[in-house]
Amino acid sequence: MVDHSFADLTLAALYDSINPWGPDDDFYLDLVASAGSVLDVGCGTGRLLARARADGHPGRLTGLDPAAAMLVQARHRAPGVEWLLGDLHARLWQGEFDLVVMTGHAFQVLLGDDELRAALRAVRSALGDGGRFVFETRNPAARPWQEWTPDRVREVDDAEGRAVRIWHEVEDRPRGDRVTFTETFDCADWPHRHTSRATLRFLTPAHLTAFLTEAGLRIDHQYGNWDRTPLTPTSPEIITVATPTPQGREEPRT
């Protein structure tokens, strides 16, 4: 689950400038504040759990990420939070968390069916009774990759105040539910550009439901945006709140 764009220390330091705090962070922060113990899978630079701790969260906060460079930022930001290097197989958790979150569209890097099933089983195992698993994916019906073009260049400043230009480019057309693209970072003062290649999976609501059900998780709510508006075919996001079913079995929905 490593985001190779940010496995480099130089680029990891740019992450929060590229992705400033927004409505999605507020959405997740509200959930973290109301949970006694939280596992943040793909925690990145750790700003969500660090903010929760700074706001007075007294419980267990655990951040998990496979990119060591991101955890350097997280540990510097909040040394009092538990930061772990690895993926969902790094530890065997048994009912230890009230809340598991995957933010920043991290769920979409789970590409293979077996990989996805294993991750969801690990989440199910980590959740205690009444726990919640909350994550978001981009809605494939909205076709967001059509805007990932080289002419849409963003510019941010690095830690030394140097301008860094960033753009994306989709390779060919989507292959089934997968989209492969490159992400390029360019700065006039750097010796060379940084370009990474990544693939994301865009699952429909029906496919998400099927995978979650198989893992013993039931969808309680799905939203189409961070203001909790209902999911529609044109919604930009599929924000899912799921809870464990007893003994991993699906219960009738009311």
Side-chain angles (χ1 to χ4, degrees), residues 15-16 21-33 38-55 57 61-63 74 77-78 81 83 99-104 134:
Y15 182 85
D16 291 337
W21 189 276
D24 54 331
D25 300 288
D26 289 329
F27 177 92
Y28 282 108
L29 185 61
D30 286 343
L31 296 170
V32 172
V38 182
L39 174 63
D40 183 357
V41 180
C43 64
T45 61
R47 67 183 181 189
L48 175 64
L49 298 187
R51 175 73 70 88
R53 183 66 87 210
D55 287 351
H57 192 291
L61 299 176
T62 301
R77 169 177 272 149
V81 172
W83 305 111
L99 175 68
V100 176
V101 298
M102 292 182 73
T103 69
V134 187

Side-chain angles (χ1 to χ4, degrees), residues 10-202:
T10 299
L11 301 184
L14 286 172
Y15 182 85
D16 291 337
S17 296
I18 298 168
N19 302 281
W21 189 276
D24 54 331
D25 300 288
D26 289 329
F27 177 92
Y28 282 108
L29 185 61
D30 286 343
L31 296 170
V32 172
S34 63
S37 53
V38 182
L39 174 63
D40 183 357
V41 180
C43 64
T45 61
R47 67 183 181 189
L48 175 64
L49 298 187
R51 175 73 70 88
R53 183 66 87 210
D55 287 351
H57 192 291
R60 180 183 179 185
L61 299 176
T62 301
L64 177 68
D65 201 278
M70 298 290 262
L71 290 183
V72 169
Q73 306 293 320
R75 290 178 177 130
H76 177 74
R77 169 177 272 149
V81 172
E82 180 184 18
W83 305 111
L84 301 176
L85 179 65
D87 58 20
L88 277 163
H89 307 297
R91 299 280 180 92
L92 180 61
W93 288 292
Q94 294 289 344
E96 299 177 36
F97 295 98
D98 301 318
L99 175 68
V100 176
V101 298
M102 292 182 73
T103 69
H105 304 105
F107 189 88
Q108 291 187 252
V109 304
L110 299 169
L111 299 180
D113 287 357
D114 290 343
E115 179 186 17
L116 180 53
R117 289 186 178 107
L120 290 175
R121 286 196 300 268
V123 168
R124 173 65 177 85
S125 177
L127 287 171
D129 293 340
R132 291 184 291 178
F133 174 41
V134 187
F135 65 98
E136 88 283 348
T137 67
R138 299 174 182 89
N139 186 0
R143 304 179 68 82
W145 57 84
Q146 292 182 336
E147 297 184 0
W148 300 351
T149 55
D151 60 300
R152 295 176 179 266
V153 178
R154 294 188 57 195
E155 189 171 293
V156 300
D157 291 338
D158 69 6
E160 299 179 18
R162 299 173 300 190
V164 179
R165 301 171 70 247
I166 307 153
W167 65 89
H168 302 82
E169 185 169 6
V170 174
E171 293 188 357
D172 201 7
R173 63 182 186 276
R175 302 288 183 177
D177 57 13
R178 293 165 176 80
V179 175
T180 299
F181 64 98
T182 58
E183 184 171 30
T184 301
F185 301 80
D186 187 31
C187 177
D189 295 326
W190 290 354
H192 57 81
R193 292 177 175 176
H194 295 263
T195 299
S196 65
R197 183 174 182 268
T199 301
L200 297 178
R201 190 173 188 182
F202 290 79

Side-chain angles (χ1 to χ4, degrees), residues 107 112-114 116-117 120 177 201 203 206-217:
F107 189 88
D113 287 357
D114 290 343
L116 180 53
R117 289 186 178 107
L120 290 175
D177 57 13
R201 190 173 188 182
L203 290 171
H207 284 122
L208 284 172
T209 299
F211 279 112
L212 289 165
T213 300
E214 182 182 350
L217 293 161

